[in-house]
Amino acid sequence: MMARQLSRSPASGARSARIGISAALRAPRWVAGERLRSALEADADTHSHSMHPDPELALALRVANGAVRHLARTHTAWKNTCLYRSMAQYLVLRDFGKSAAVRLGVQDPENGKGVTAHSWVVYHGPEMVQDGGDSFEELRFGS
């Protein structure tokens, strides 16, 4: 019980908020070029699976998603798209020392409406991240 109370302390909540906001602020610099390539080429370690959710990590992921949505309203460098949200989540996970990767995929056109693309985070932990790409064909990059 004591550990649960400590994990919800104001200091840990402030740390989670700081990490989430920082990740959202950095996301536009990670959606192209070498940084995007490094996130796409990363491997999410399937052996570092934890059964117990980390409330601070879960809060930081929620803060990052919300911050990207709010920053997109400024009509500046941020867009409220799956790629920006995925990148912010990836950065949060990395800041928490977790193994994660970003993936891009496409889906066949529905009713002749064109190809649909999606970005998601691969992470093997109990904390909820953005919708996965189960119905998308993953694009492979590199050699």
Side-chain angles (χ1 to χ4, degrees):
M1 183 70 167
M2 179 77 157
R4 173 175 255 163
Q5 289 174 344
L6 288 174
S7 69
R8 294 193 179 156
S9 73
S12 64
R15 176 181 176 264
S16 296
R18 179 184 56 76
I19 289 172
I21 291 168
S22 171
L25 290 171
R26 290 180 287 150
R29 294 191 314 251
W30 280 76
V31 297
E34 289 302 314
R35 290 177 175 161
L36 174 61
R37 179 182 211 94
S38 70
L40 292 170
E41 291 175 348
D43 287 320
D45 183 7
T46 58
H47 302 300
S48 65
H49 187 64
S50 169
M51 298 304 292
H52 303 290
D54 179 346
E56 285 81 24
L57 175 55
L59 176 59
L61 289 166
R62 285 194 309 273
V63 167
N65 280 341
V68 168
R69 287 185 180 100
H70 286 289
L71 288 165
R73 294 180 189 153
T74 64
H75 304 288
T76 55
W78 292 268
K79 294 178 179 28
N80 186 17
T81 65
C82 55
L83 179 58
Y84 282 72
R85 290 188 306 272
S86 293
M87 198 54 69
Q89 290 176 353
Y90 170 78
L91 293 170
V92 165
L93 290 163
R94 298 295 298 226
D95 287 349
F96 272 82
K98 305 293 183 179
S99 175
V102 173
R103 298 293 181 251
L104 299 175
V106 294
Q107 192 176 51
D108 286 335
E110 291 182 22
N111 304 325
K113 292 184 179 180
V115 174
T116 302
H118 185 53
S119 172
W120 64 95
V121 177
V122 177
Y123 167 63
H124 301 288
E127 295 80 17
M128 183 64 179
V129 293
Q130 179 173 304
D131 296 340
D134 294 341
S135 64
F136 289 83
E137 182 178 338
E138 185 178 329
L139 299 174
R140 300 287 180 171
F141 299 91
S143 32

